[in-house]
Tab-separated table of all heavy atoms in Angstrom:
chain	number	residue	atom	x	y	z
A	182	ALA	N	73.618	96.292	4.300
A	182	ALA	CA	74.856	97.076	4.226
A	182	ALA	C	75.659	96.706	2.991
A	182	ALA	O	76.212	97.581	2.305
A	182	ALA	CB	75.680	96.853	5.491
A	183	GLY	N	75.723	95.389	2.691
A	183	GLY	CA	76.442	94.974	1.488
A	183	GLY	C	75.782	95.483	0.224
A	183	GLY	O	76.454	95.974	-0.696
A	184	ALA	N	74.439	95.404	0.174
A	184	ALA	CA	73.732	95.886	-1.017
A	184	ALA	C	73.845	97.397	-1.156
A	184	ALA	O	74.016	97.925	-2.258
A	184	ALA	CB	72.259	95.474	-0.928
A	185	ARG	N	73.795	98.126	-0.044
A	185	ARG	CA	73.885	99.582	-0.112
A	185	ARG	C	75.275	100.014	-0.545
A	185	ARG	O	75.429	100.992	-1.290
A	185	ARG	CB	73.553	100.174	1.255
A	185	ARG	CG	73.597	101.685	1.270
A	185	ARG	CD	73.066	102.259	2.565
A	185	ARG	NE	73.056	103.703	2.523
A	185	ARG	CZ	72.540	104.479	3.460
A	185	ARG	NH1	71.961	103.923	4.501
A	185	ARG	NH2	72.576	105.782	3.361
A	186	GLU	N	76.299	99.296	-0.073
A	186	GLU	CA	77.663	99.622	-0.488
A	186	GLU	C	77.814	99.468	-1.999
A	186	GLU	O	78.460	100.272	-2.672
A	186	GLU	CB	78.648	98.705	0.246
A	186	GLU	CG	80.101	99.094	0.101
A	186	GLU	CD	80.414	100.408	0.791
A	186	GLU	OE1	79.851	100.666	1.865
A	186	GLU	OE2	81.202	101.189	0.230
A	187	GLU	N	77.182	98.425	-2.528
A	187	GLU	CA	77.251	98.212	-3.970
A	187	GLU	C	76.517	99.330	-4.723
A	187	GLU	O	77.004	99.831	-5.741
A	187	GLU	CB	76.626	96.848	-4.306
A	187	GLU	CG	76.709	96.448	-5.769
A	187	GLU	CD	78.119	96.126	-6.207
A	187	GLU	OE1	78.984	95.907	-5.330
A	187	GLU	OE2	78.379	96.120	-7.422
A	188	ARG	N	75.350	99.731	-4.221
A	188	ARG	CA	74.615	100.829	-4.866
A	188	ARG	C	75.380	102.141	-4.788
A	188	ARG	O	75.397	102.921	-5.739
A	188	ARG	CB	73.230	100.990	-4.221
A	188	ARG	CG	72.263	99.858	-4.517
A	188	ARG	CD	70.840	100.264	-4.179
A	188	ARG	NE	70.704	100.673	-2.789
A	188	ARG	CZ	70.400	99.839	-1.798
A	188	ARG	NH1	70.214	98.553	-2.051
A	188	ARG	NH2	70.285	100.279	-0.558
A	189	ALA	N	76.011	102.403	-3.638
A	189	ALA	CA	76.776	103.635	-3.482
A	189	ALA	C	77.966	103.673	-4.432
A	189	ALA	O	78.329	104.723	-4.964
A	189	ALA	CB	77.251	103.781	-2.038
A	190	ARG	N	78.576	102.510	-4.652
A	190	ARG	CA	79.731	102.470	-5.554
A	190	ARG	C	79.321	102.759	-6.993
A	190	ARG	O	80.062	103.358	-7.767
A	190	ARG	CB	80.393	101.089	-5.461
A	190	ARG	CG	81.705	100.961	-6.208
A	190	ARG	CD	82.368	99.632	-5.888
A	190	ARG	NE	81.599	98.505	-6.364
A	190	ARG	CZ	81.696	98.021	-7.601
A	190	ARG	NH1	82.516	98.574	-8.478
A	190	ARG	NH2	80.981	96.985	-7.960
A	191	ARG	N	78.090	102.339	-7.348
A	191	ARG	CA	77.641	102.530	-8.722
A	191	ARG	C	76.965	103.893	-8.940
A	191	ARG	O	76.813	104.335	-10.067
A	191	ARG	CB	76.643	101.427	-9.099
A	191	ARG	CG	77.286	100.044	-9.144
A	191	ARG	CD	76.245	98.997	-9.506
A	191	ARG	NE	76.839	97.666	-9.579
A	191	ARG	CZ	76.142	96.566	-9.866
A	191	ARG	NH1	74.843	96.644	-10.093
A	191	ARG	NH2	76.744	95.400	-9.916
A	192	SER	N	76.538	104.525	-7.849
A	192	SER	CA	75.804	105.785	-7.990
A	192	SER	C	76.773	106.942	-8.178
A	192	SER	O	77.973	106.828	-7.965
A	192	SER	CB	74.929	106.040	-6.772
A	192	SER	OG	75.735	106.205	-5.630
A	193	THR	N	76.236	108.073	-8.563
A	193	THR	CA	77.062	109.258	-8.783
A	193	THR	C	76.443	110.439	-8.064
A	193	THR	O	75.227	110.611	-8.020
A	193	THR	CB	77.142	109.589	-10.290
A	193	THR	OG1	75.814	109.756	-10.800
A	193	THR	CG2	77.839	108.495	-11.043
A	194	GLY	N	77.289	111.243	-7.449
A	194	GLY	CA	76.883	112.561	-7.007
A	194	GLY	C	76.103	112.629	-5.734
A	194	GLY	O	76.667	112.563	-4.652
A	195	ARG	N	74.738	112.763	-5.840
A	195	ARG	CA	73.923	113.234	-4.728
A	195	ARG	C	74.003	112.323	-3.506
A	195	ARG	O	74.184	112.803	-2.380
A	195	ARG	CB	72.475	113.363	-5.186
A	195	ARG	CG	71.537	113.856	-4.101
A	195	ARG	CD	70.184	114.216	-4.675
A	195	ARG	NE	70.293	115.312	-5.643
A	195	ARG	CZ	69.238	115.810	-6.286
A	195	ARG	NH1	68.039	115.298	-6.096
A	195	ARG	NH2	69.397	116.804	-7.136
A	196	LEU	N	73.896	110.990	-3.694
A	196	LEU	CA	73.920	110.079	-2.549
A	196	LEU	C	75.244	110.178	-1.812
A	196	LEU	O	75.295	110.275	-0.584
A	196	LEU	CB	73.659	108.643	-3.015
A	196	LEU	CG	73.693	107.567	-1.921
A	196	LEU	CD1	72.628	107.850	-0.879
A	196	LEU	CD2	73.506	106.177	-2.525
A	197	LEU	N	76.347	110.168	-2.550
A	197	LEU	CA	77.654	110.240	-1.914
A	197	LEU	C	77.873	111.590	-1.250
A	197	LEU	O	78.552	111.691	-0.220
A	197	LEU	CB	78.748	109.976	-2.965
A	197	LEU	CG	78.767	108.561	-3.548
A	197	LEU	CD1	79.841	108.448	-4.616
A	197	LEU	CD2	79.016	107.531	-2.447
A	198	ALA	N	77.331	112.664	-1.821
A	198	ALA	CA	77.525	113.995	-1.256
A	198	ALA	C	76.842	114.140	0.097
A	198	ALA	O	77.354	114.824	0.997
A	198	ALA	CB	76.986	115.039	-2.232
A	199	TRP	N	75.675	113.518	0.275
A	199	TRP	CA	74.937	113.628	1.536
A	199	TRP	C	75.349	112.601	2.573
A	199	TRP	O	75.002	112.730	3.747
A	199	TRP	CB	73.443	113.484	1.258
A	199	TRP	CG	72.817	114.724	0.729
A	199	TRP	CD1	72.542	115.020	-0.568
A	199	TRP	CD2	72.413	115.859	1.492
A	199	TRP	NE1	71.994	116.258	-0.689
A	199	TRP	CE2	71.896	116.806	0.588
A	199	TRP	CE3	72.448	116.186	2.852
A	199	TRP	CZ2	71.407	118.033	0.985
A	199	TRP	CZ3	71.953	117.405	3.260
A	199	TRP	CH2	71.443	118.323	2.339
A	200	ARG	N	76.083	111.578	2.171
A	200	ARG	CA	76.345	110.463	3.071
A	200	ARG	C	77.200	110.868	4.268
A	200	ARG	O	76.856	110.596	5.424
A	200	ARG	CB	77.030	109.337	2.288
A	200	ARG	CG	77.003	108.011	3.020
A	200	ARG	CD	77.514	106.920	2.138
A	200	ARG	NE	77.468	105.653	2.822
A	200	ARG	CZ	78.020	104.552	2.366
A	200	ARG	NH1	78.638	104.586	1.202
A	200	ARG	NH2	77.946	103.428	3.031
A	201	ARG	N	78.320	111.539	4.029
A	201	ARG	CA	79.208	111.910	5.132
A	201	ARG	C	78.574	112.916	6.091
A	201	ARG	O	78.688	112.757	7.315
A	201	ARG	CB	80.520	112.438	4.568
A	201	ARG	CG	81.386	111.338	3.959
A	201	ARG	CD	82.738	111.860	3.547
A	201	ARG	NE	83.567	110.798	2.989
A	201	ARG	CZ	84.808	110.982	2.545
A	201	ARG	NH1	85.352	112.191	2.582
A	201	ARG	NH2	85.491	109.967	2.060
A	202	PRO	N	77.896	113.975	5.608
A	202	PRO	CA	77.221	114.875	6.563
A	202	PRO	C	76.182	114.164	7.425
A	202	PRO	O	76.062	114.439	8.621
A	202	PRO	CB	76.576	115.921	5.650
A	202	PRO	CG	77.417	115.930	4.425
A	202	PRO	CD	77.846	114.516	4.234
A	203	LEU	N	75.435	113.232	6.827
A	203	LEU	CA	74.440	112.494	7.604
A	203	LEU	C	75.109	111.631	8.676
A	203	LEU	O	74.637	111.564	9.824
A	203	LEU	CB	73.586	111.628	6.675
A	203	LEU	CG	72.549	112.367	5.809
A	203	LEU	CD1	71.872	111.397	4.860
A	203	LEU	CD2	71.526	113.068	6.687
A	204	LEU	N	76.191	110.963	8.308
A	204	LEU	CA	76.912	110.156	9.287
A	204	LEU	C	77.482	111.027	10.400
A	204	LEU	O	77.446	110.670	11.587
A	204	LEU	CB	78.036	109.377	8.596
A	204	LEU	CG	77.613	108.220	7.682
A	204	LEU	CD1	78.818	107.619	6.975
A	204	LEU	CD2	76.896	107.139	8.489
A	205	GLY	N	78.021	112.201	10.044
A	205	GLY	CA	78.548	113.109	11.059
A	205	GLY	C	77.467	113.612	12.002
A	205	GLY	O	77.664	113.673	13.229
A	206	ALA	N	76.298	113.952	11.436
A	206	ALA	CA	75.195	114.406	12.279
A	206	ALA	C	74.710	113.295	13.203
A	206	ALA	O	74.429	113.530	14.390
A	206	ALA	CB	74.047	114.899	11.392
A	207	GLY	N	74.629	112.082	12.672
A	207	GLY	CA	74.221	110.954	13.508
A	207	GLY	C	75.199	110.699	14.638
A	207	GLY	O	74.806	110.427	15.778
A	208	ALA	N	76.498	110.812	14.364
A	208	ALA	CA	77.506	110.626	15.409
A	208	ALA	C	77.393	111.705	16.476
A	208	ALA	O	77.532	111.425	17.679
A	208	ALA	CB	78.904	110.631	14.780
A	209	ALA	N	77.128	112.955	16.056
A	209	ALA	CA	76.997	114.044	17.022
A	209	ALA	C	75.787	113.835	17.930
A	209	ALA	O	75.866	113.999	19.161
A	209	ALA	CB	76.892	115.383	16.287
A	210	VAL	N	74.645	113.454	17.337
A	210	VAL	CA	73.441	113.204	18.136
A	210	VAL	C	73.672	112.054	19.110
A	210	VAL	O	73.268	112.111	20.288
A	210	VAL	CB	72.245	112.905	17.206
A	210	VAL	CG1	71.032	112.436	18.022
A	210	VAL	CG2	71.883	114.140	16.399
A	211	THR	N	74.341	110.998	18.649
A	211	THR	CA	74.635	109.852	19.518
A	211	THR	C	75.502	110.270	20.695
A	211	THR	O	75.265	109.865	21.844
A	211	THR	CB	75.339	108.751	18.709
A	211	THR	OG1	74.504	108.357	17.616
A	211	THR	CG2	75.633	107.546	19.580
A	212	ALA	N	76.524	111.112	20.436
A	212	ALA	CA	77.394	111.582	21.517
A	212	ALA	C	76.618	112.383	22.543
A	212	ALA	O	76.814	112.234	23.766
A	212	ALA	CB	78.534	112.418	20.924
A	213	VAL	N	75.687	113.257	22.078
A	213	VAL	CA	74.872	114.048	23.000
A	213	VAL	C	73.987	113.143	23.855
A	213	VAL	O	73.862	113.329	25.079
A	213	VAL	CB	74.024	115.066	22.216
A	213	VAL	CG1	73.004	115.733	23.131
A	213	VAL	CG2	74.910	116.108	21.567
A	214	LEU	N	73.377	112.129	23.241
A	214	LEU	CA	72.509	111.220	23.983
A	214	LEU	C	73.286	110.413	25.017
A	214	LEU	O	72.804	110.177	26.129
A	214	LEU	CB	71.783	110.288	23.013
A	214	LEU	CG	70.782	110.961	22.059
A	214	LEU	CD1	70.189	109.945	21.102
A	214	LEU	CD2	69.685	111.664	22.831
A	215	ILE	N	74.492	109.990	24.659
A	215	ILE	CA	75.323	109.257	25.626
A	215	ILE	C	75.678	110.164	26.800
A	215	ILE	O	75.639	109.748	27.968
A	215	ILE	CB	76.592	108.727	24.930
A	215	ILE	CG1	76.216	107.623	23.929
A	215	ILE	CG2	77.587	108.193	25.952
A	215	ILE	CD1	77.384	107.130	23.104
A	216	PHE	N	76.015	111.426	26.510
A	216	PHE	CA	76.330	112.373	27.585
A	216	PHE	C	75.136	112.548	28.515
A	216	PHE	O	75.271	112.540	29.743
A	216	PHE	CB	76.752	113.712	26.974
A	216	PHE	CG	76.906	114.805	27.989
A	216	PHE	CD1	78.039	114.873	28.805
A	216	PHE	CD2	75.905	115.764	28.158
A	216	PHE	CE1	78.170	115.874	29.749
A	216	PHE	CE2	76.037	116.768	29.105
A	216	PHE	CZ	77.182	116.823	29.901
A	217	LEU	N	73.938	112.717	27.944
A	217	LEU	CA	72.741	112.890	28.771
A	217	LEU	C	72.474	111.670	29.637
A	217	LEU	O	72.097	111.791	30.811
A	217	LEU	CB	71.535	113.178	27.869
A	217	LEU	CG	71.517	114.524	27.144
A	217	LEU	CD1	70.310	114.609	26.214
A	217	LEU	CD2	71.500	115.687	28.138
A	218	SER	N	72.667	110.475	29.069
A	218	SER	CA	72.386	109.251	29.826
A	218	SER	C	73.362	109.051	30.972
A	218	SER	O	73.044	108.356	31.943
A	218	SER	CB	72.417	108.042	28.894
A	218	SER	OG	73.731	107.807	28.428
A	219	HIS	N	74.559	109.634	30.866
A	219	HIS	CA	75.531	109.531	31.950
A	219	HIS	C	75.459	110.699	32.926
A	219	HIS	O	76.152	110.711	33.944
A	219	HIS	CB	76.957	109.451	31.382
A	219	HIS	CG	77.312	108.111	30.843
A	219	HIS	ND1	76.862	107.649	29.626
A	219	HIS	CD2	78.050	107.092	31.365
A	219	HIS	CE1	77.322	106.437	29.412
A	219	HIS	NE2	78.041	106.068	30.451
A	220	THR	N	74.612	111.684	32.608
A	220	THR	CA	74.539	112.890	33.445
A	220	THR	C	73.235	112.964	34.221
A	220	THR	O	73.221	113.359	35.392
A	220	THR	CB	74.688	114.150	32.569
A	220	THR	OG1	75.882	114.047	31.807
A	220	THR	CG2	74.744	115.404	33.436
A	221	TYR	N	72.110	112.581	33.596
A	221	TYR	CA	70.792	112.720	34.211
A	221	TYR	C	70.159	111.344	34.390
A	221	TYR	O	70.208	110.489	33.493
A	221	TYR	CB	69.881	113.592	33.341
A	221	TYR	CG	70.414	114.994	33.134
A	221	TYR	CD1	71.071	115.329	31.952
A	221	TYR	CD2	70.277	115.960	34.123
A	221	TYR	CE1	71.577	116.616	31.761
A	221	TYR	CE2	70.776	117.248	33.937
A	221	TYR	CZ	71.424	117.568	32.761
A	221	TYR	OH	71.912	118.826	32.572
A	222	VAL	N	69.531	111.164	35.550
A	222	VAL	CA	68.919	109.874	35.866
A	222	VAL	C	67.753	109.588	34.922
A	222	VAL	O	67.576	108.461	34.449
A	222	VAL	CB	68.449	109.862	37.336
A	222	VAL	CG1	67.681	108.574	37.638
A	222	VAL	CG2	69.634	109.994	38.267
A	223	TRP	N	66.936	110.621	34.628
A	223	TRP	CA	65.769	110.407	33.780
A	223	TRP	C	66.141	109.909	32.380
A	223	TRP	O	65.353	109.217	31.734
A	223	TRP	CB	64.937	111.686	33.663
A	223	TRP	CG	65.683	112.864	33.053
A	223	TRP	CD1	66.355	113.836	33.732
A	223	TRP	CD2	65.845	113.155	31.666
A	223	TRP	NE1	66.924	114.730	32.859
A	223	TRP	CE2	66.629	114.334	31.584
A	223	TRP	CE3	65.412	112.549	30.484
A	223	TRP	CZ2	66.988	114.905	30.362
A	223	TRP	CZ3	65.762	113.125	29.282
A	223	TRP	CH2	66.539	114.290	29.220
A	224	ALA	N	67.345	110.274	31.919
A	224	ALA	CA	67.768	109.846	30.585
A	224	ALA	C	68.348	108.435	30.589
A	224	ALA	O	68.550	107.854	29.519
A	224	ALA	CB	68.815	110.822	30.031
A	225	ALA	N	68.642	107.913	31.770
A	225	ALA	CA	69.240	106.579	31.849
A	225	ALA	C	68.254	105.516	32.315
A	225	ALA	O	68.552	104.326	32.234
A	225	ALA	CB	70.448	106.608	32.802
A	226	GLU	N	67.097	105.925	32.823
A	226	GLU	CA	66.131	104.962	33.339
A	226	GLU	C	65.440	104.210	32.210
A	226	GLU	O	65.067	104.799	31.189
A	226	GLU	CB	65.081	105.675	34.195
A	226	GLU	CG	65.608	106.139	35.540
A	226	GLU	CD	64.524	106.819	36.359
A	226	GLU	OE1	63.581	107.356	35.748
A	226	GLU	OE2	64.621	106.797	37.593
A	227	PHE	N	65.250	102.920	32.431
A	227	PHE	CA	64.500	102.110	31.469
A	227	PHE	C	63.021	102.409	31.634
A	227	PHE	O	62.528	102.536	32.765
A	227	PHE	CB	64.779	100.627	31.718
A	227	PHE	CG	64.315	99.723	30.614
A	227	PHE	CD1	64.967	99.700	29.393
A	227	PHE	CD2	63.218	98.898	30.790
A	227	PHE	CE1	64.538	98.875	28.373
A	227	PHE	CE2	62.780	98.055	29.773
A	227	PHE	CZ	63.451	98.052	28.564
A	228	PRO	N	62.269	102.554	30.526
A	228	PRO	CA	60.868	102.999	30.651
A	228	PRO	C	59.948	102.018	31.349
A	228	PRO	O	58.846	102.374	31.728
A	228	PRO	CB	60.444	103.209	29.192
A	228	PRO	CG	61.381	102.367	28.387
A	228	PRO	CD	62.681	102.408	29.126
A	229	GLY	N	60.363	100.764	31.507
A	229	GLY	CA	59.490	99.791	32.162
A	229	GLY	C	59.599	98.442	31.489
A	229	GLY	O	60.187	98.295	30.425
A	230	GLU	N	59.041	97.447	32.149
A	230	GLU	CA	59.132	96.087	31.624
A	230	GLU	C	58.187	95.855	30.449
A	230	GLU	O	58.454	95.044	29.585
A	230	GLU	CB	58.820	95.080	32.735
A	230	GLU	CG	59.843	95.060	33.858
A	230	GLU	CD	61.228	94.650	33.373
A	230	GLU	OE1	61.332	93.841	32.437
A	230	GLU	OE2	62.204	95.168	33.917
A	231	GLY	N	57.070	96.558	30.421
A	231	GLY	CA	56.130	96.340	29.336
A	231	GLY	C	55.304	95.085	29.563
A	231	GLY	O	55.665	94.210	30.347
A	232	GLY	N	54.202	94.994	28.854
A	232	GLY	CA	53.314	93.856	29.034
A	232	GLY	C	53.313	92.864	27.900
A	232	GLY	O	52.671	91.815	27.990
A	233	LEU	N	54.036	93.181	26.805
A	233	LEU	CA	53.984	92.304	25.637
A	233	LEU	C	54.614	90.948	25.933
A	233	LEU	O	54.083	89.905	25.544
A	233	LEU	CB	54.704	92.973	24.459
A	233	LEU	CG	54.711	92.185	23.148
A	233	LEU	CD1	53.284	91.931	22.669
A	233	LEU	CD2	55.500	92.926	22.072
Side-chain angles (χ1 to χ4, degrees):
R185 181 171 183 174
E186 190 67 37
E187 184 70 16
R188 290 196 303 270
R190 187 172 65 86
R191 294 179 179 179
S192 64
T193 56
R195 180 169 298 180
L196 178 61
L197 294 177
W199 281 99
R200 196 172 181 190
R201 288 186 179 180
L203 286 175
L204 289 175
V210 171
T211 302
V213 171
L214 294 177
I215 291 175
F216 172 78
L217 291 176
S218 68
H219 283 77
T220 306
Y221 300 100
V222 174
W223 60 266
E226 287 181 334
F227 193 71
E230 294 298 328
L233 181 60

